[in-house]
Amino acid sequence: MKKFTLLFLAIGLIAMAATTKNAVTSGTVNKVSNINFTDSKYKACIDACNACIVSCKKCESMCVKSNDPKMARCIQLCKECVATCTASSQLMGLNSESAKEMCAVCANVCDKCAAECEKMTAAHCKKCATECRKTAKICRVM
């Protein structure tokens, strides 16, 4: 009899835990699913920031592999660009009231990165410069 009681108690606790977890999770899911990023006023800028992140990471990686001391500033600015683009994208995704200020900072860092990458002859640097210029332009509109 004790075994059956313990079994039913265990099943009851498991069922209660599952119900509580679903209630909490479904509340969170509903809040998140109400945000429609495709119609967001930030969509173009988020997309540009994300493309810039990819391009800067590739440029940084390729410049590091080259072991050329002349690439030190390019590497540093690519890292800074990734950081500011990431922060901007995240704040826009949150619809933060600080998103516009972060985008202004991001635009300035992207311009610096583009100017440095344009000095280089490597194709990945040229592509990075193009993405940075595009992102800076879109971030300024924010």
Side-chain angles (χ1 to χ4, degrees):
M1 184 70 169
K2 261 187 172 180
K3 289 182 183 180
F4 288 117
T5 306
L6 288 174
L7 179 64
F8 286 121
L9 179 62
I11 292 172
L13 287 173
I14 292 169
M16 215 166 68
T19 307
T20 304
K21 184 178 177 184
N22 286 341
V24 170
T25 305
S26 66
T28 304
V29 170
N30 287 341
K31 288 179 185 173
V32 172
S33 64
N34 286 338
I35 299 171
N36 189 353
F37 288 108
T38 55
D39 296 332
S40 171
K41 60 186 173 185
Y42 298 122
K43 183 176 181 350
C45 195
I46 290 170
D47 290 346
C49 284
N50 290 338
C52 191
I53 290 166
V54 170
S55 186
C56 284
K57 282 184 175 182
K58 181 174 183 178
C59 183
E60 174 194 349
S61 173
M62 299 295 282
C63 288
V64 166
K65 286 179 185 174
S66 74
N67 272 340
D68 187 348
K70 292 183 237 171
M71 298 294 198
R73 182 153 168 78
C74 180
I75 293 166
Q76 178 62 32
L77 287 170
C78 281
K79 288 178 182 180
E80 291 177 20
C81 199
V82 167
T84 57
C85 283
T86 300
S88 294
S89 182
Q90 289 175 341
L91 289 175
M92 287 183 283
L94 294 170
N95 199 24
S96 170
E97 50 187 61
S98 301
K100 290 182 182 186
E101 291 86 2
M102 191 65 226
C103 284
V105 171
C106 184
N108 290 331
V109 173
C110 284
D111 280 339
K112 289 178 189 177
C113 188
E116 187 63 26
C117 285
E118 285 169 346
K119 295 176 187 176
M120 307 302 163
T121 57
H124 61 269
C125 288
K126 298 296 184 188
K127 182 174 179 0
C128 184
T130 301
E131 288 296 333
C132 286
R133 291 279 182 220
K134 178 182 171 186
T135 302
K137 182 178 178 182
I138 293 173
C139 280
R140 279 205 176 74
V141 175
M142 303 312 295

